[in-house]
Amino acid sequence: MKTTILAALAGVFLMTSCGEGVYPQNEGGGKAVKQLIDKHFDADKQVQELVIKAKDELYGELGTVTVVYWDGDKQMEEVFSSSDGAKEPQETFGSKQKMKHLAKTKTVAVKEFDVEPIPYKVGEAAGLIPEDYENYALAEYTFSVDDNGKPKQHFTINTTKKGEGKMQTGRKVSQNYYPFSFKVDEAGKVVAID
């Protein structure tokens, strides 16, 4: 089991080691994301969610970091984009449309979301993915707040299936990918979500 997890971690790190961007799933990626959060967000701001998203489905390079919070009756979001920098706070689409499913949940300070262990959580999850999949890329990692006011985590890893290559139709090249979802339980263990 330990060998499988180490091999999976090595595969995760190797797949995304090229380029100069931030890769949250790589060793040191959690620290790099934390530095961006510390620089671009108020550590004491009370938020209900912090979302880290990749630029694209299969490479895991950081695209955006978003915090979601309430300002009176408006649900707001602040976004840091790796390509465009920090953006001005704006009302979320759901809030603008007065969607009824938006509930004011408990909040915690941004600094309560521990992003540094992300590479290890992704490595642990990679060990739970069936062996006929490869090329693990973190697509999204979400920190939210449960009903008791405790931070919770869930994330999605996109993979490709062994033996499936890229397909070309005219000038367009595409590749199938397969998402696997996980959460971190109260004991800090990664668990697959069906």
Side-chain angles (χ1 to χ4, degrees):
M1 177 72 173
K2 187 175 181 180
T3 306
T4 304
I5 290 175
L6 290 175
L9 268 172
V12 168
F13 297 150
L14 285 174
M15 188 193 93
T16 59
S17 62
C18 57
E20 294 181 20
V22 172
Y23 292 83
Q25 71 193 33
N26 285 4
E27 188 170 357
K31 287 182 181 180
V33 171
K34 183 177 183 336
Q35 289 172 351
L36 288 172
I37 290 170
D38 290 346
K39 181 177 179 182
H40 297 286
F41 298 98
D42 176 359
D44 294 316
K45 182 182 258 328
Q46 292 290 311
V47 300
Q48 65 185 60
E49 193 173 68
L50 183 145
V51 182
I52 299 162
K53 285 189 178 181
K55 274 187 181 178
D56 55 49
E57 292 85 5
L58 290 173
Y59 295 102
E61 183 178 358
L62 179 67
T64 60
V65 178
T66 305
V67 294
V68 178
Y69 60 95
W70 286 89
D71 183 4
D73 289 337
K74 293 181 179 178
Q75 186 184 53
M76 304 292 290
E77 65 182 3
E78 289 180 30
V79 179
F80 167 78
S81 166
S82 61
S83 54
D84 301 328
K87 298 179 181 177
E88 290 295 317
Q90 62 182 6
E91 189 174 2
T92 64
F93 175 80
S95 181
K96 284 181 193 174
Q97 301 302 317
K98 310 270 188 252
M99 294 183 172
K100 303 217 185 289
H101 73 279
L102 294 178
K104 285 188 179 181
T105 62
K106 296 197 178 207
T107 61
V108 298
V110 170
K111 64 186 174 190
E112 296 298 316
F113 296 127
D114 188 7
V115 299
E116 288 192 41
I118 288 175
Y120 306 103
K121 298 302 180 190
V122 172
E124 192 177 334
L128 301 173
I129 296 173
E131 290 183 14
D132 50 337
Y133 294 91
E134 60 186 355
N135 300 327
Y136 311 102
L138 179 63
E140 182 174 319
Y141 204 109
T142 301
F143 292 87
S144 55
V145 183
D146 69 15
D147 294 336
N148 298 317
K150 292 184 181 176
K152 59 183 183 176
Q153 307 169 46
H154 64 275
F155 59 98
T156 302
I157 296 174
N158 290 337
T159 67
T160 57
K161 215 172 214 180
K162 289 181 180 176
E164 280 189 8
K166 294 181 179 178
M167 298 165 282
Q168 186 162 354
T169 307
R171 293 183 182 173
K172 184 179 176 186
V173 177
S174 62
Q175 170 125 32
N176 290 332
Y177 66 92
Y178 303 87
F180 289 88
S181 296
F182 303 91
K183 67 178 181 178
V184 179
D185 68 14
E186 289 184 11
K189 184 177 177 184
V190 173
V191 179
I193 301 173
D194 293 329

